[in-house]
Amino acid sequence: MNTPKFNNSDIIENGWWNILPKKLLKWVRLGRFDRPVGFWLLLLPGWWVLALTDIKFINCIKLMIIFLIGAVVMRAAGCTINDLWDKDIDKKISRTKKRPIANGDISNQQAFFFLAFMLLIGIICLYQLNINTWYVALSSLPLVIIYPLAKRFTKWPQIILGLTFSWSVPTAWSAANQEWTIGIFIMYFATVFWIIGYDTIYGCQDKSEDEVFGIQNSAVSAKNFLSTFVGCMYSFTFILLLIGGYLLEASFFWFIGVTLIGCHFVNQILKLNDLKKYAPLKIFKSNVTVGLILSISSLGNYINFMQ
């Protein structure tokens, strides 16, 4: 397989999708199936929460698989909604102007059919979970719809994204039939701050063009104190992960993981001081490592249980 290569947009030229018929390529790009970072970042908080519950290991794995499928299709659905709202904006930005709705490869009607299909798969996944989880998951839909509009009425749309993208935390908790405690709410807000931080870094790719076209986001709003802003978001994340882990009676493996990602956060913040040398996209993508470390460390609960 050829090494992925970017053109002047965020479209990846070569990858596994080259084996598919060309007529399917536009759908791969619409759902961002060619860029798995997004669904990993959506999925991993749910994974680490599942492992922090008291359900049996085999049940945890089953739920992880359901959440994996759900994360892929719901991320695709979210991207479709975003691209429908933002098609006129995307046409102006070099990184996004070749997205299939913006460049006309996919019509609005076709996009709605794709969206309905992704939501149908998501509903099938949701059907595998208890009924309380249906209400928890479906209650996120207003945020999913509102987020693409947020940049039109606030300079800090990443706050809405953080509240939305963190929804796998309460959804996973409910799926495991856990009683609601302050610990899980703290874990939710830890994830919210993490997302605000890493998506601000992601927004740095378009910062100069966003300023020209008057597009609002935290990368533009915090441009004069970028490292400080992201540093604060990551600091809140670190502290709340420690507190949340303590309240949820996580094993010591969890705290080792949180310590490791704390070091990772420091490394990211240092790189923000020289974005000419360190690409914002690469720094952003490294947050998958953060999520994987926390997911693996949370599984330490089962090691303790088996002992």
Side-chain angles (χ1 to χ4, degrees):
M1 183 180 296
N2 295 327
T3 302
K5 179 178 63 177
F6 290 85
N7 52 27
N8 64 345
S9 73
D10 64 0
I11 301 297
I12 304 175
E13 296 285 7
N14 300 307
W16 60 265
W17 48 90
N18 288 340
I19 65 175
L20 300 174
K22 288 187 177 180
K23 63 182 180 180
L24 295 180
L25 181 57
K26 60 186 179 182
W27 302 107
V28 170
R29 290 176 172 168
L30 177 61
R32 309 290 201 276
F33 301 122
D34 54 338
R35 287 179 287 154
V37 172
F39 82 72
W40 279 117
L41 292 174
L42 175 62
L43 169 68
L44 290 170
W47 270 12
W48 77 58
V49 165
L50 285 171
L52 290 175
T53 65
D54 59 10
I55 59 175
K56 293 181 179 180
F57 180 72
I58 187 63
N59 293 333
C60 179
I61 297 301
K62 288 179 180 177
L63 287 174
M64 283 182 166
I65 293 171
I66 294 172
F67 271 72
L68 171 61
I69 298 170
V72 173
V73 297
M74 292 310 296
R75 187 258 187 148
C79 289
T80 303
I81 294 171
N82 182 78
D83 289 2
L84 283 166
W85 281 120
D86 283 359
K87 63 178 181 178
D88 293 330
I89 295 174
D90 287 344
K91 292 175 183 178
K92 301 176 183 178
I93 306 299
S94 59
R95 185 177 62 84
T96 58
K97 64 183 180 182
K98 291 187 178 181
R99 289 179 175 176
I101 296 178
N103 70 8
D105 284 346
I106 293 177
S107 68
N108 286 357
Q109 184 180 35
Q110 290 175 318
F112 277 114
F113 279 121
F114 177 82
L115 173 61
F117 183 57
M118 293 297 103
L119 291 175
L120 175 61
I121 298 174
I123 290 171
I124 292 172
C125 290
L126 190 59
Y127 185 73
Q128 310 305 310
L129 308 177
N130 63 65
I131 193 168
N132 289 331
T133 306
W134 299 4
Y135 298 121
V136 174
L138 292 174
S139 64
S140 70
L141 287 180
L143 286 171
V144 172
I145 295 170
I146 290 171
Y147 165 66
L149 294 173
K151 64 189 72 175
R152 293 166 172 80
F153 61 80
T154 176
K155 294 182 178 180
W156 307 94
Q158 276 67 27
I159 295 175
I160 307 298
L161 178 67
L163 294 170
T164 307
F165 230 57
S166 300
W167 214 260
S168 60
V169 171
T171 304
W173 191 254
S174 178
N177 285 306
Q178 303 296 291
E179 292 186 7
W180 296 100
T181 66
I182 187 64
I184 194 59
F185 290 107
I186 289 176
M187 196 67 70
Y188 170 72
F189 283 106
T191 311
V192 171
F193 287 120
W194 177 46
I195 292 167
I196 294 171
Y198 72 57
D199 202 66
T200 298
I201 297 172
Y202 183 80
C204 289
Q205 298 175 93
D206 307 321
K207 188 167 55 175
S208 57
E209 289 182 271
D210 285 346
E211 288 185 277
V212 170
F213 294 110
I215 299 170
Q216 302 183 109
N217 58 57
S218 57
V220 173
S221 301
K223 65 177 183 178
N224 295 323
F225 50 94
L226 180 66
S227 296
T228 301
F229 177 74
V230 175
C232 287
M233 295 301 101
Y234 282 173
S235 295
F236 292 147
T237 301
F238 179 78
I239 293 169
L240 292 178
L241 287 174
L242 289 175
I243 297 173
Y246 173 78
L247 293 175
L248 295 178
E249 300 181 350
S251 74
F252 76 95
F253 291 105
W254 171 259
F255 299 99
I256 292 174
V258 174
T259 301
L260 290 174
I261 65 113
C263 296
H264 197 295
F265 285 158
V266 172
N267 183 50
Q268 287 188 49
I269 294 165
L270 291 175
K271 288 180 177 179
L272 289 179
N273 293 317
D274 191 358
L275 287 179
K276 291 182 179 179
K277 180 178 179 181
Y278 301 103
L281 182 60
K282 190 172 183 180
I283 302 173
F284 161 77
K285 286 183 175 181
S286 71
N287 280 283
V288 174
T289 302
V290 171
L292 287 171
I293 289 172
L294 290 176
S295 297
I296 293 170
S297 64
S298 66
L299 288 169
N301 273 18
Y302 289 102
I303 295 175
N304 276 6
F305 176 75
M306 287 184 288
Q307 289 176 342

